Amino acid sequence: MTKKNDQEKMQKIVSLCKRRGFIFPSSEIYGGFNSAYGYGPYGTELKNNIKKLWWQKFVQERANMFGIDGPILLHPKLWQASGHTESFNDAMVDCRECKKRFRADHLVEDATGQDLEGQLEEMSRILKEEKIKCPECGKSNWTDARNLNMMFKTAMNGVNEDVYLRPETAGAIFIEFKNIIDSMRVKLPFGIAQIGKAFRNEIVTGNFIFRLREFEQMEIEYFIHPEAKWEEIFDGWLESQEEFARELGILNENMRRYEHAQEKLSHYSRKTVDIEYDFPFGFSELFGLAHRGDFDLRQHSKYSQEKLEYFDQKENKKFTPHVIEPTFGLDRSILACLDAAYTEEQLEDDVRIVMKFPARLAPIKIAIFPLLKNKENLVKKAQEVYDNLKSKYVCEFDDHGNIGKRYRRQDEIGTPYCVTVDFDTLEKDNAVTIRDRDTMQQERIKIEELDNFFERKLK
Ligand code: GAP
């Protein structure tokens, strides 16, 4: 299957996600709601497994990392300090004919290859002079390009100014710098990590769960000494991010690094690199890594009037640490994981669809079947096997349809192992048939050895 612009593959993934309970269009019974999505039972398991993997890898297995869970609603001054109120803008343009709204920079870049981020007048000129066509109606009758602030405004009782849903989790991390320093035994370098929702009033959403208005991020602010050899630390983070991508099932050949040009960087940033994945619509940003200097701590210090410094006992002095920020989109991780796992295999008389998730990410680890639904003893024994395994592994009991159909369903949700209780189990060997998702090989294992078997296979 080719990767580039593989809209057919994307459609197959979207349809599998709905058919099999991974991801549903939001508010569907009301006709949908502006390309928003909700996670179904298997999507929620997959999402939780990815979060768990990330938290284990980046928080629990690192001695100098502190995990937090900050609020979505934060003091409005915070967004002034971070620059979001002033300049968290995207360029939008409206088609006067069909009234659809677009990202002006994306229209220009798609048509001419030029990256004109921030240059509104130039975008307007090119849109008109080059007669760039509206992707919706095909005409060329544009308004001027103008900035739209992407923060979601809301109101809070008792607060007389606009309040915003946080546009990134990072803000909630920076404002806890002082609390972490004061309450934990902290030594530089150290990091503060968070997983949570972020909201951006994107002009255009799309590509399924790639660009959403409500999404989740997994972010780290990693504080370092201003004179530390930051290049080594930065490269170490890039490697860890790529390692995490591989743990999602992504192959090296399907990801690449994209370094932002020096002249495009914010004044405080020394280096920014995106890790891109070859999504069905081509290479696009999956994760990001930025050296942000001391900009954030200094800004929050200035706006809050609180000193946000680190006291170094060895040097006997206080200073403002620099920060390196590894950021991961959770929904994009899920989309990449779904895309990497999606496999079609030609069988003799059929095509088998299999989600080859890494075992630890699979929503269901083991499915347990009685060979026949209407044989009470088989069902009872299968139920017993299920009851013994379910407290340790996420299991599913299934007695619908025939075995072939049950295998197909479990393949489509990516269950690594299916266990069948049959007549030999009851009458001969007290063993079950275990079928491997990827090889479709079957083997016979004694019921009392199941726990050891899965302990080895699913660690
Ligand atoms: N604190 C830095 C920050 O927020 P960003 O590049 O704007 O940086 C970080 O966002 C990550 O969040 C991206 O790499 C992407 O994975 C994810 N992300 C950003 N906007 C998104 C959107 N509209 N929908 C889904 N994921 C998004």
Side-chain angles (χ1 to χ4, degrees), residues 160-334:
N160 288 330
E161 55 188 314
D162 287 333
V163 172
Y164 301 96
L165 304 183
R166 67 183 180 203
E168 56 172 25
T169 54
I173 297 181
F174 283 117
I175 54 159
E176 299 307 359
F177 174 84
K178 187 172 182 309
N179 279 331
I180 294 290
I181 294 252
D182 291 348
S183 63
M184 310 301 289
R185 296 199 188 110
V186 167
K187 241 174 116 188
L188 275 186
F190 73 93
I192 310 179
Q194 178 173 227
I195 300 178
K197 291 251 178 184
F199 301 82
R200 292 183 189 175
N201 207 351
E202 297 279 356
I203 295 167
V204 184
T205 56
N207 284 324
F208 195 28
I209 52 168
F210 179 81
R211 193 176 302 283
L212 299 163
R213 295 195 175 96
E214 174 182 347
F215 56 99
E216 267 184 79
Q217 292 181 316
M218 306 181 284
E219 292 198 295
I220 297 163
E221 302 304 332
Y222 194 68
F223 300 98
I224 60 172
H225 194 290
E227 278 145 35
K229 289 190 176 144
W230 66 269
E231 292 91 343
E232 280 171 27
I233 302 171
F234 194 96
D235 287 348
W237 275 111
L238 267 183
E239 276 157 31
S240 297
Q241 289 189 293
E242 287 169 343
E243 196 178 276
F244 179 71
R246 282 190 289 275
E247 288 173 61
L248 295 177
I250 291 173
L251 300 175
N252 280 333
E253 66 251 37
N254 291 330
M255 63 176 153
R256 69 182 186 196
R257 295 177 180 184
Y258 167 76
E259 183 169 347
H260 291 223
Q262 278 295 321
E263 65 272 17
K264 292 261 170 197
L265 294 180
S266 320
H267 62 95
Y268 49 80
S269 177
R270 295 204 180 152
K271 188 169 178 172
T272 297
V273 176
D274 294 342
I275 292 178
E276 298 186 330
Y277 172 68
D278 195 3
F279 287 99
F281 43 89
F283 274 101
S284 301
E285 180 182 345
L286 175 63
F287 310 144
L289 182 65
H291 185 304
R292 299 180 55 87
D294 58 6
F295 172 78
D296 303 274
L297 288 182
R298 281 199 188 281
Q299 283 293 102
H300 291 302
S301 204
K302 185 172 148 197
Y303 278 73
S304 67
Q305 303 287 302
E306 282 281 355
K307 278 204 166 16
L308 301 178
E309 290 177 328
Y310 173 82
F311 176 68
D312 191 306
Q313 285 189 334
K314 248 205 301 197
E315 295 180 29
N316 195 25
K317 73 171 188 199
K318 282 186 178 173
F319 53 83
T320 309
H322 284 195
V323 73
I324 288 181
E325 180 187 71
T327 175
F328 305 68
L330 177 55
D331 308 85
R332 287 187 191 179
S333 299
I334 295 168

